């Protein structure tokens, strides 16, 4: 089967590589145009583009600001059978999808219809889901509402981060994508319509979402720490300076008599203990802005007077 792959960020790279070495013919790769990045704001290729260039494979690379006439002509010239998508970042219109005799399929890192939208992995962590997974669905006019072709389910232990869950979804999603295309080619597949009763939606993550409200429970704040790792990283303030909370653990059954946000003390085995709206949060790893990340013991060695101080955040 001739496959056009569309993807942009790092999570899509494993799927590109899997298709490169599959039994299917990767006839082209569609990714977003180079964007300014870094301090110099020089145009940089997407991770998917860079991976294709690094492979040395002579496969056509397509980059367009709009998926209109010029883009459709370029895709049509490749004569693709199937569009395979993982985190491309844009909606495909009916004229574009009509170019593919076998239609289009999408890899979505959640158990659809749960967590449709742009941020399914952080949303699963923030929601405290006991299970997550990967869904491959038909592309439809409405985002993430197409029929389900295949799923992979995994249990969550409550310590996953967006970084760790994304790495898992990248590798397992690549395998599931290739096996699903294999099944499509053989005609051995079923399509399951999504049940709208169970649908939920994730919102795009904004940097402001990571500011801690210490009135929340220790469990909720710990979920934030894990959901916003590696970006935008959960933050508060210590004496007016931005402080990033990089790793933590909730102690729901423990509390102090201090107001939420107060550093109740330091436990040499568990971390810097902060009172929340419900329970203590053990801060394990943290970073003052402009400083390097530190484990809690190293941070405490340089800040021996932190007990009793109150961390800032949302009021």
């Amino acid at each position: 089967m001739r496959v056009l792959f569309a993807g942009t960020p790092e999570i899509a790279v494993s799927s590109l590589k899997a298709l490169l070495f599959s039994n299917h013919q990767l006839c082209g790769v569609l990714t977003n145009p180079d964007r300014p990045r870094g301090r110099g704001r020089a145009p940089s290729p997407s991770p998917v583009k860079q991976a294709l260039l690094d492979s040395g494979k002579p496969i056509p690379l397509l980059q367009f600001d709009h998926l209109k006439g010029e883009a459709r002509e370029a895709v049509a010239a490749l004569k693709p059978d199937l569009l395979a998508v993982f985190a491309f970042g844009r909606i495909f219109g009916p004229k574009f999808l009509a170019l593919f005799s076998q239609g289009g399929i999408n890899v979505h890192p959640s158990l659809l219809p749960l967590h449709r939208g742009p941020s399914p992995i952080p949303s699963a962590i923030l929601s405290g889901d006991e299970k997550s997974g990967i869904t491959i669905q038909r592309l439809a006019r409405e985002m993430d509402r197409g029929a389900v072709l295949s799923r992979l389910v995994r249990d969550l232990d409550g310590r996953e981060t967006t970084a760790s869950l994304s790495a898992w979804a990248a590798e397992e999603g690549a395998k599931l994508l290739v096996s699903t295309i294999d099944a499509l080619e053989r005609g051995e597949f079923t399509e399951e319509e999504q049940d709208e009763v169970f649908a939920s939606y994730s919102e795009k993550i904004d940097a402001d979402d990571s500011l801690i409200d210490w009135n929340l429970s220790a469990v909720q704040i710990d979920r934030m720490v894990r959901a916003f790792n590696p970006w935008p990283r959960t933050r508060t303030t210590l004496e007016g300076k931005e402080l990033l909370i990089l790793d933590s653990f909730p102690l729901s059954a423990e509390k102090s008599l201090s107001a939420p946000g107060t550093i109740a003390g330091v436990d040499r085995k568990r971390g810097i203990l902060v009172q929340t709206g419900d329970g203590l949060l053990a801060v394990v790893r943290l970073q003052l802005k402009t400083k390097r990340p530190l484990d809690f013991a190293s941070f405490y060695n340089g800040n021996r007077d932190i007990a009793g101080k109150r961390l800032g955040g949302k009021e």
Side-chain angles (χ1 to χ4, degrees):
M1 188 177 294
R2 291 176 62 81
V3 179
L4 177 73
F5 178 70
T8 298
E10 186 65 35
I11 197 172
V13 168
S14 292
S15 289
L16 167 66
K17 292 179 178 179
L19 288 170
L20 281 170
F21 295 100
S22 71
N23 294 323
H24 306 285
Q25 185 176 358
L26 186 61
C27 65
V29 174
L30 176 64
T31 192
N32 282 329
D34 296 3
R35 302 296 188 200
R37 292 184 178 87
R39 291 184 178 180
R41 307 303 292 165
S44 298
S46 72
V48 163
K49 176 180 177 178
Q50 189 62 56
L52 180 61
L53 296 176
D54 291 344
S55 75
K57 300 284 187 181
I59 294 172
L61 177 68
L62 307 179
Q63 294 178 280
F64 298 99
D65 288 317
H66 305 284
L67 300 179
K68 296 182 179 179
E70 181 185 3
R72 292 197 296 268
E73 288 178 11
V75 170
L78 300 175
K79 299 180 180 179
D81 299 313
L82 179 73
L83 173 63
V85 183
F86 195 165
F88 177 59
R90 283 188 277 173
I91 300 295
F92 300 97
K95 290 183 180 179
F96 190 89
L97 290 176
L99 300 172
F100 304 88
S101 60
Q102 299 298 315
I105 60 174
N106 177 58
V107 185
H108 189 78
S110 83
L111 297 176
L112 290 174
L114 293 175
H115 307 304
R116 293 170 176 169
S119 306
I121 292 177
S123 293
I125 294 173
L126 289 169
S127 298
D129 291 355
E130 295 182 354
K131 295 181 182 294
S132 186
I134 303 160
T135 304
I136 296 186
Q137 42 121 186
R138 286 283 189 187
L139 286 172
R141 289 191 178 187
E142 295 180 83
M143 183 171 59
D144 301 328
R145 291 187 67 171
V148 173
L149 298 176
S150 56
R151 279 196 185 92
L152 179 64
V153 181
R154 67 164 281 175
D155 293 328
L156 300 181
D157 63 13
R159 301 314 308 151
E160 293 82 5
T161 65
T162 290
S164 67
L165 203 50
S166 294
W168 174 84
E171 294 302 318
E172 296 302 324
K175 297 174 189 176
L176 189 62
L177 175 61
V178 172
S179 65
T180 301
I181 297 174
D182 291 344
L184 284 171
E185 189 169 52
R186 296 191 302 266
E188 300 172 357
F189 65 94
T190 58
E191 298 194 13
E192 174 191 333
E193 296 299 325
Q194 296 185 39
D195 190 339
E196 293 300 312
V197 171
F198 299 104
S200 63
Y201 294 84
S202 64
E203 300 292 336
K204 185 176 180 179
I205 300 297
D206 185 88
D208 289 341
D209 296 331
S210 67
L211 184 61
I212 296 174
D213 177 358
W214 290 105
N215 293 299
L216 297 175
S217 70
V219 168
Q220 290 172 299
I221 295 171
D222 175 68
R223 288 175 184 172
M224 290 177 61
V225 172
R226 294 184 290 110
F228 300 142
N229 172 358
W231 188 90
R233 299 187 299 180
T234 308
R235 58 195 173 91
T236 183
T237 58
L238 174 61
E239 298 183 315
K241 297 179 181 179
E242 184 172 273
L243 179 67
L244 302 176
I245 308 298
L246 305 178
D247 191 13
S248 65
F249 197 87
L251 303 171
S252 303
E254 300 183 31
K255 64 181 179 179
S256 72
L257 299 177
S258 306
T262 303
I263 298 175
V266 179
D267 185 307
R268 293 185 181 276
K269 292 184 178 180
R270 298 187 292 182
I272 297 171
L273 307 181
V274 185
Q275 179 63 47
T276 71
D278 184 8
L280 293 174
L281 184 75
V283 177
V284 178
R285 191 167 176 81
L286 61 171
Q287 179 183 8
L288 277 171
K289 192 173 183 179
T290 74
K291 304 292 185 179
R292 63 187 179 91
L294 296 172
D295 62 81
F296 76 89
S298 299
F299 186 90
Y300 177 61
N301 285 338
N303 299 270
R304 290 281 184 172
D305 60 344
I306 59 172
K309 292 184 178 179
R310 192 171 182 184
L311 301 178
K314 289 184 179 178
E315 296 298 332

